[in-house]
Amino acid sequence: MTTRAVVEGVGHYLPDRVVPNAYFESFLDTTDEWIKTRSGIERRHFAADGQTTSDLAVRAARHALENAGCTADDIDGILVATSTPDLTFPSVATMVQNELGMTRGFGFDVQAVCAGFIYALANANALIVSGQARRLLVIGAETFSRIMDWTDRSTCVLFGDGAGAIVLGAQQGTGTAQDSGILSTDLNSDGRYRDMLFVDGGVSSTGTAGKLRMQGNPLFRQAVEKLTSTAESALEKAGLVDADVNWIVPHQANIRIIQGTARKMGIPMDRVIVTVQDHGNTSAASIPLALSVAVAEGKIKRGDVLVSEAIGGGLAWGAVVLRW
Ligand code: UT7
């Protein structure tokens, strides 16, 4: 018998304020047409003044707990993937823990930028498979609107705020690819690419939060290549091939990256979950947001094989294969 980390519930939260592309036309040299054609983004949500990453995370967590039919008392630990925490410390995870009224267990944040949710899932899987936890909340939550340079048209039109969460629980499997739950993970990073996507501030350098800087075009080319190779590696580790995949649930940065990766894997777009048009790039929140929306729409069903992949600052990238 093999212990598997199985998805028991999923949820998400998007702030009320929806910002269409046309909003940026009023103060930047850009157009709805450019943003739509180059990125696939049509609108994004921005958090209200005073609304923090932990606020979004708590709402997504409550939704996921309800969906799983359990309460905070059933949870052993919380992992929050974020690069935009409320404070330098304590972690967003311990803030969520407190808000949910959890007085036992543990919480910590995972920082791998847009690949954060994949890294958090891999860590949660390891905790469950090794017997250190029975049930975990894994959350991706971001307020990237807080680190935008509103004079930089090449970045500020691309990002949005939001949160998604899943409940992962231990279940016995057979050790084969027929099991439910996480079947494989694949993590990678390469610090030589630091300048391709970074924030130009921090605690021990400037003492400020800083603003996001990105070399979009070179990153685009890295993304398609690295996302395809990590997805293929994860599938191989799981003993599966592209044809076994029911859904790619990719990081939602750019529709052209999503299409390019699917094309390289030989998977048609009607088997790819796409939410980038409605959410923009929500960094670590994008995959759990896409999962939650797709489950609510009845697309992803029990037994389906999913491959999720993401890349972000570092560069850090990775993939997870799981049976829903
Ligand atoms: O989540 C982390 C991972 N992030 C990514 O993977 C993002 C990867 N990169 C991308 O998604 C794309 O590279 C972008 C959407 C950022 C840009 O698309 P692109 O097709 O690579 O365009 P580009 O950067 O080569 O820029 C083309 C032109 C430039 O003008 P010139 O130099 O050709 O005159 C830019 O200055 O588009 C210009 N441009 C804009 N024009 C209107 C850049 N931003 C804008 C804008 N509106 N908002």
Side-chain angles (χ1 to χ4, degrees), residues 118 121 231 247-251 287 291 306-310 318-321:
I118 297 291
L121 269 186
W247 296 105
I248 304 180
V249 187
H251 170 48
I287 288 174
L291 276 173
L306 275 51
V307 57
S308 269
E309 26 79 350
V320 169
V321 173

Side-chain angles (χ1 to χ4, degrees), residues 2-6 125 128-129 169-184:
T2 307
T3 303
R4 295 288 196 187
V6 176
N125 182 52
I128 287 177
V129 167
Q171 201 173 296
Q172 288 309 307
T174 59
T176 70
Q178 295 312 310
D179 289 347
S180 295
I182 295 179
L183 300 175
S184 67

Side-chain angles (χ1 to χ4, degrees), residues 30 34 38 114 153 216-217 219 251 254 256-257 281 311:
T30 191
W34 190 95
R38 297 295 178 118
C114 299
R153 67 176 182 172
N217 197 272
L219 177 55
H251 170 48
N254 186 315
R256 293 184 296 134
I257 294 175
N281 183 346
I311 187 166

Side-chain angles (χ1 to χ4, degrees), residues 269-288:
M269 283 304 289
D270 61 4
R271 279 162 47 204
V272 183
I273 303 297
V274 179
T275 53
V276 69
Q277 70 284 356
D278 296 326
H279 303 162
N281 183 346
T282 57
S283 188
S286 92
I287 288 174

Side-chain angles (χ1 to χ4, degrees), residues 79-95:
L79 285 71
V80 177
T82 189
S83 301
T84 46
D86 300 29
L87 300 173
T88 301
F89 71 77
S91 65
V92 173
T94 55
M95 296 180 186

Side-chain angles (χ1 to χ4, degrees), residues 32-311:
D32 170 42
E33 186 58 25
W34 190 95
I35 300 169
K36 249 191 326 220
T37 320
R38 297 295 178 118
S39 72
I41 298 165
E42 296 175 27
R43 58 194 73 81
R44 74 287 289 141
H45 294 246
F46 285 156
D49 289 345
Q51 196 175 27
T52 63
T53 295
S54 70
D55 296 333
L56 311 189
V58 167
R59 284 176 182 250
R62 288 210 168 101
H63 187 197
L65 287 171
E66 193 186 310
N67 186 252
C70 61
T71 70
D73 292 335
D74 303 315
I75 300 294
D76 297 329
I78 302 174
L79 285 71
V80 177
T82 189
S83 301
T84 46
D86 300 29
L87 300 173
T88 301
F89 71 77
S91 65
V92 173
T94 55
M95 296 180 186
V96 174
Q97 183 187 27
N98 182 46
E99 281 299 313
L100 294 178
M102 243 176 93
T103 52
R104 61 171 201 95
F106 60 86
F108 64 96
D109 290 357
V110 175
Q111 206 271 61
V113 203
C114 299
F117 192 73
I118 297 291
Y119 273 66
L121 269 186
N123 277 280
N125 182 52
L127 287 167
I128 287 177
V129 167
S130 63
Q132 293 176 78
R134 298 271 321 153
R135 187 172 284 114
L136 296 170
L137 253 174
V138 188
I139 305 170
E142 302 278 19
T143 46
F144 259 53
S145 63
R146 303 280 154 73
I147 52 167
M148 289 298 110
D149 174 352
W150 300 107
T151 65
D152 178 7
R153 67 176 182 172
S154 71
T155 53
C156 74
V157 302
L158 301 173
F159 292 88
D161 302 336
I166 66 170
V167 176
L168 271 186
Q171 201 173 296
Q172 288 309 307
T174 59
T176 70
Q178 295 312 310
D179 289 347
S180 295
I182 295 179
L183 300 175
S184 67
T185 63
D186 185 65
L187 302 181
N188 313 268
S189 66
D190 188 339
R192 288 174 299 174
Y193 294 106
R194 158 187 162 150
D195 292 344
M196 226 173 247
L197 178 54
F198 66 102
V199 167
D200 64 3
V203 179
S204 74
S205 52
T206 60
T208 62
K211 300 293 178 200
L212 182 144
R213 308 291 169 204
M214 181 168 77
Q215 298 167 21
N217 197 272
L219 177 55
F220 185 101
R221 278 178 272 122
Q222 290 293 330
V224 176
E225 181 215 311
K226 290 184 163 44
L227 291 172
T228 307
S229 68
T230 188
E232 300 285 12
S233 299
L235 281 168
E236 196 181 325
K237 288 184 199 177
L240 295 170
V241 294
D242 295 330
D244 297 316
V245 175
N246 296 102
W247 296 105
I248 304 180
V249 187
H251 170 48
Q252 311 282 323
N254 186 315
I255 188 65
R256 293 184 296 134
I257 294 175
I258 294 172
Q259 288 163 338
T261 308
R263 194 163 42 239
K264 280 190 118 183
M265 293 176 71
I267 294 176
M269 283 304 289
D270 61 4
R271 279 162 47 204
V272 183
I273 303 297
V274 179
T275 53
V276 69
Q277 70 284 356
D278 296 326
H279 303 162
N281 183 346
T282 57
S283 188
S286 92
I287 288 174
L289 264 168
L291 276 173
S292 182
V293 168
V295 169
E297 287 175 350
K299 287 183 177 160
I300 296 174
K301 298 194 178 61
R302 286 284 160 204
D304 283 353
V305 171
L306 275 51
V307 57
S308 269
E309 26 79 350
I311 187 166

